[in-house]
Amino acid sequence: MENQKKVSAISDVGAWGMNIVSSVGIIMANKQLMSNGGYGFSFATTLTGFHFAVTALVGLVSNATGYSASKHVPFWELLWFSLVANTSITAMNLSLMLNSVGFYQISKLSMIPVVCVMEWILHSKHYSREVKMSVMVVVVGVGVCTVTDVKVNLKGFVCACIAVLSTSLQQISIGSLQKKYSIGSFELLSKTAPIQAVSLLVFGPFADYYLSGKLITNYKMSSGVILFILLSCSLAVFCNVSQYLCIGRFSAVSFQVLGHMKTVCVLTLGWLLFDSELTVKNIMGMVIAVAGMIIYSWAVELDKHTNIKTHSHAKHSLTEEEIRLLQEGLEKNPLKDVELAEDKS
């Protein structure tokens, strides 16, 4: 039993590690690929379509070689999930274009309370006071790190709201679909990736033209661009797989909270690799955020132990309803002594 717990813990750490490394790696690769100082490939939605196309190809090869088993999931559920996921991607890009960086970061931070409320509405999930407090600490810490100027406009606000709601719903749906159909994370991803790839590659160029005013057909490809696109797609496969793994193992709230570790890593690597400014405010925010993540981990473990004790106590004690039914049964059917056959009541 202890060995199983150790293996499970190692797997959990591995999933989080893969997600953080691949997510930070893809941000660094995309920064070089898309920035004006890099290759100026400003077609984010189409690039995401490439990501899912490669992911779908990996899933197809995996199923063909027997590495993974394909389980049945109704097509309409896959289509609905892909629609929500693609809405999330497009709305996030629009939100980043229409809003200031400060408001964009605030909208991303609001995903944690939105996920909490959605899980409470959809799954009647409740959170302890310790978990709520730790979430607030993380939000404050990341906010101090990242939020600068905050300017709001109507179009940007609407896009941000759609982005937050669709992203939160997508992350909750991943865990729900895995539990509902007893399907592994990679198997679910291999079913949704082709639908997302086709839709993003068809509609992505139009969305990118609206965002940047440029057509991908007019962009001049080079060997360096192709190399970084392949690197970005490779990292995207690990990022997508690890995201499904993490949400399948934990919860959407845990994924959001500990996922902000990526923000800390991105800020640090940006300072080390791209000469980005790292102020005292950034460092202070990082310290608060990391402290909040540690408190959150402790609060989740505390909840687990409390639930185990509650269930254990419930198994060894009668409820008031059970006692009442037992008393009614005794009144209607008085106990008889087996040997003397006399009423004891």
Side-chain angles (χ1 to χ4, degrees):
M1 190 70 178
E2 290 183 2
N3 289 334
Q4 288 180 348
K5 287 183 178 179
K6 286 181 181 179
V7 171
S8 178
I10 292 171
S11 299
D12 293 347
V13 172
W16 277 120
M18 186 197 300
N19 185 255
I20 290 173
V21 171
S22 58
S23 297
V24 173
I26 199 172
I27 289 171
M28 295 295 112
N30 288 351
K31 186 176 178 66
Q32 179 63 27
L33 179 64
M34 303 178 75
S35 66
N36 293 327
Y39 293 102
F41 186 84
S42 56
F43 309 100
T45 312
T46 307
L47 179 62
T48 308
F50 292 154
H51 291 169
F52 281 107
V54 173
T55 304
L57 180 62
V58 171
L60 185 65
V61 171
S62 178
N63 288 333
T65 55
Y67 179 77
S68 58
S70 181
K71 291 187 178 181
H72 175 70
V73 178
F75 179 74
W76 71 268
E77 291 221 46
L78 296 175
L79 191 63
W80 173 83
F81 175 83
S82 300
L83 178 64
V84 172
N86 288 350
T87 301
S88 165
I89 293 166
T90 306
M92 276 292 183
N93 289 336
L94 285 170
S95 176
L96 184 58
M97 181 192 78
L98 296 172
N99 294 310
S100 65
V101 175
F103 186 75
Y104 176 75
Q105 291 296 340
I106 286 177
S107 67
K108 287 182 70 177
L109 287 175
S110 67
M111 284 182 199
I112 297 179
V114 169
V115 168
C116 290
V117 172
M118 278 190 169
E119 287 200 323
W120 172 62
I121 294 172
L122 297 174
H123 303 299
S124 300
K125 191 170 183 178
H126 297 277
Y127 300 92
S128 66
R129 183 180 58 184
E130 291 80 7
V131 169
K132 292 175 185 175
M133 290 299 296
S134 63
V135 166
M136 289 302 299
V137 173
V138 173
V139 169
V140 170
V142 178
V144 171
C145 279
T146 58
V147 176
T148 51
D149 60 312
V150 179
K151 296 177 183 177
V152 185
N153 61 81
L154 182 60
K155 285 185 179 179
F157 178 76
V158 171
C159 286
C161 289
I162 294 171
V164 169
L165 291 172
S166 57
T167 304
S168 302
L169 185 58
Q170 177 207 4
Q171 292 179 357
I172 292 171
S173 298
I174 291 173
S176 298
L177 287 173
Q178 285 186 244
K179 291 175 182 176
K180 185 176 180 180
Y181 296 104
S182 299
I183 188 171
S185 55
F186 185 73
E187 286 76 17
L188 179 60
L189 178 60
S190 64
K191 286 182 176 294
T192 58
I195 303 172
Q196 289 186 253
V198 170
S199 54
L200 286 172
L201 289 175
V202 170
F203 298 106
F206 298 100
D208 289 329
Y209 179 72
Y210 176 77
L211 289 167
S212 63
K214 300 176 184 177
L215 288 171
I216 192 170
T217 52
N218 296 334
Y219 183 81
K220 292 182 179 180
M221 290 285 184
S222 65
S223 56
V225 173
I226 294 171
L227 178 65
F228 269 90
I229 288 176
L230 291 174
L231 175 61
S232 180
C233 289
S234 301
L235 289 168
V237 173
F238 289 102
C239 185
N240 288 330
V241 170
S242 60
Q243 177 180 347
Y244 279 60
L245 275 172
C246 288
I247 297 177
R249 288 171 177 270
F250 307 103
S251 68
V253 176
S254 297
F255 182 76
Q256 279 292 330
V257 170
L258 297 180
H260 282 303
M261 179 63 76
K262 291 179 282 190
T263 304
V264 175
C265 293
V266 168
L267 287 171
T268 305
L269 288 175
W271 173 61
L272 292 173
L273 301 177
F274 296 100
D275 296 324
S276 298
E277 185 181 3
L278 193 65
T279 63
V280 175
K281 176 174 168 284
N282 295 140
I283 296 171
M284 183 174 68
M286 288 181 195
V287 171
I288 296 171
V290 172
M293 292 170 200
I294 293 170
I295 296 169
Y296 178 80
S297 301
W298 165 79
V300 169
E301 285 300 315
L302 184 65
D303 269 4
K304 286 181 181 177
H305 289 301
T306 303
N307 289 335
I308 289 171
K309 287 180 180 178
T310 302
H311 289 312
S312 177
H313 176 72
K315 286 179 181 178
H316 294 91
S317 61
L318 295 174
T319 63
E320 291 183 5
E321 181 67 14
E322 288 171 333
I323 293 170
R324 184 182 64 79
L325 291 172
L326 192 60
Q327 287 175 340
E328 288 179 358
L330 287 174
E331 289 172 0
K332 292 178 182 178
N333 302 300
L335 288 174
K336 293 180 181 294
D337 189 286
V338 176
E339 293 180 1
L340 302 177
E342 293 179 350
D343 287 351
K344 285 195 170 183
S345 57

